[in-house]
Amino acid sequence: FTREPYFTTLAISITLSLATVALLLLTSRHHLFTLLLVGIISIGSKAFADYSTSGLENPLAHLLLVAFFLLCLRHPPHPRHALPLGALAGLIMLNRLDHGLLVVPALLATALQLPRRPALTLLAAAGMPVAGWLLFSLIYYGFPFPNTFYAKQTTGIPRIEYLERGVGYLVDTAVVDGVTLLGIAFVAGLTLWQRRPLTLLAATAGIMLYVLYVIWIGGDFMGGRMFSAPLAASLAVLAGAKLLEGKKPLAFLAILLALGLMVLNRPY
C-alpha cells in the first residue's frame, strides 16, 4: 500500500509491539508488583526490545501470544471463547509454525475442559489455517515446511553438535540478556510451585517445551531471537494468572533481580 518497505515495516512493528506492552500493562494494572515486574522485564529484555522492531515475525508473534494466553487463562474456560481462542492459536502457528509448541499444550488442556462441540470448534479453528497452508505449500513449493527447516535440520550434522550449539545459545543469552531468561524461569518456577489449574500448568509446559526445542535445533544465529516469544508468553501468564498476588517478598526479590540484571547487561 505504501510502496516504501523500510519505514512502513518499522511503523507496523512498533505499533504491534506497543499494543503488546499496552495489553500486558492493562492486564496487570490492579496489582502493583505485577505491573512493575512486567514493565521492568519488558524494558530490560534485550531480546524483546531488539526484535520488537526487527521486521521479522516476532512483533506479531508477541501480540498474538499475549492475546492467546490472556484469553486462555480465564478460568473456567467458557464455550463462547472457543472460536476466538482457536483462531488465535491458528494465527500463531501460521505466523511461525514452531510456535505451535508454545500454544498446543494449553489448547489441548482447554479443549479437555469444554463440552464436545465447543472443543471441536476450538481444535478446528486452530488446525484449519495450518492445514490449509501446509497443503498449499506442498502443492506450490513441493515441500510442507519452510526451506530454512531443510537447510538447517537435514544436513547430516550429528544431533550432539546441535545440542552443544543450543546449550551455547542458552548460555550466551544468560550472559548478555539475563532478564529474558529470568522472566521465563521465574514464571515457570512460580507456576510449578503453586500447582495451579491444568490450563496454567499446560501453558507453562508449552513454554518450557519451546525452550528445550530451541536447544534441540541448535539455537539461532541471531542472539536472543528465539527466546523473545517464550518471554512474551511468560509475561502473559504472569499477568493473566495473577501469580504474584499475596507474594510480596517474592515479587520484591524478582524486581530487584530484574533491575540488577538490567544494570549488568546494559550496553556500553
Side-chain angles (χ1 to χ4, degrees):
F1 290 105
T2 65
R3 299 185 181 183
E4 191 287 313
Y6 183 75
F7 291 105
T8 302
T9 301
L10 280 178
I12 293 173
S13 296
I14 291 170
T15 301
L16 291 170
S17 299
L18 288 174
T20 301
V21 174
L23 190 56
L24 285 169
L25 296 179
L26 187 65
T27 306
S28 309
R29 68 189 185 281
H30 297 301
H31 191 263
L32 178 60
F33 286 110
T34 303
L35 182 67
L36 287 173
L37 190 57
V38 167
I40 290 168
I41 292 176
S42 299
I43 295 170
S45 167
K46 289 180 182 292
F48 188 80
D50 287 350
Y51 298 104
S52 285
T53 55
S54 60
L56 300 170
E57 79 283 349
N58 298 67
L60 181 57
H62 298 161
L63 181 58
L64 291 173
L65 284 166
V66 168
F68 172 83
F69 281 110
L70 290 181
L71 184 60
C72 184
L73 292 174
R74 293 186 177 182
H75 187 77
H78 198 283
R80 71 170 179 266
H81 295 153
L83 183 59
L85 196 58
L88 283 169
L91 290 173
I92 288 167
M93 291 183 280
L94 195 61
N95 183 45
R96 184 179 173 96
L97 191 59
D98 56 14
H99 284 171
L101 293 171
L102 286 165
V103 299
V104 165
L107 195 73
L108 294 177
T110 302
L112 289 173
Q113 300 174 70
L114 289 171
R116 179 178 296 180
R117 191 167 181 176
L120 291 175
T121 301
L122 174 71
L123 297 177
M128 287 177 64
V130 180
W133 169 255
L134 291 177
L135 180 62
F136 167 79
S137 180
L138 185 62
I139 294 171
Y140 189 82
Y141 296 109
F143 301 97
F145 301 120
N147 57 9
T148 50
F149 167 78
Y150 302 101
K152 294 177 182 178
Q153 298 297 313
T154 61
T155 57
I157 297 173
R159 182 54 56 181
I160 187 64
E161 293 192 26
Y162 282 101
L163 293 173
E164 289 174 357
R165 294 288 184 177
V167 171
Y169 189 74
L170 183 72
V171 172
D172 178 71
T173 303
V175 171
V176 303
D177 188 11
V179 175
T180 295
L181 290 188
L182 171 68
I184 296 171
F186 179 73
V187 171
L190 198 56
T191 303
L192 294 174
W193 177 43
Q194 296 186 62
R195 298 179 183 179
R196 290 296 188 105
L198 175 63
T199 306
L200 180 55
L201 291 174
T204 304
I207 293 168
M208 300 315 298
L209 183 63
Y210 190 81
V211 172
L212 293 175
Y213 161 79
V214 172
I215 297 173
W216 177 259
I217 64 172
D220 189 62
F221 64 94
M222 297 184 186
R225 176 194 175 194
M226 300 295 284
F227 291 125
S228 73
L231 176 69
S234 298
L235 292 177
V237 170
L238 179 65
K242 301 177 174 61
L243 293 179
L244 289 179
E245 288 189 359
K247 295 173 178 60
K248 290 184 179 180
L250 192 61
F252 187 66
L253 178 62
I255 289 170
L256 287 180
L257 283 173
L259 286 170
L261 288 171
M262 282 179 63
V263 172
L264 288 173
N265 296 151
R266 73 182 188 272
Y268 291 96

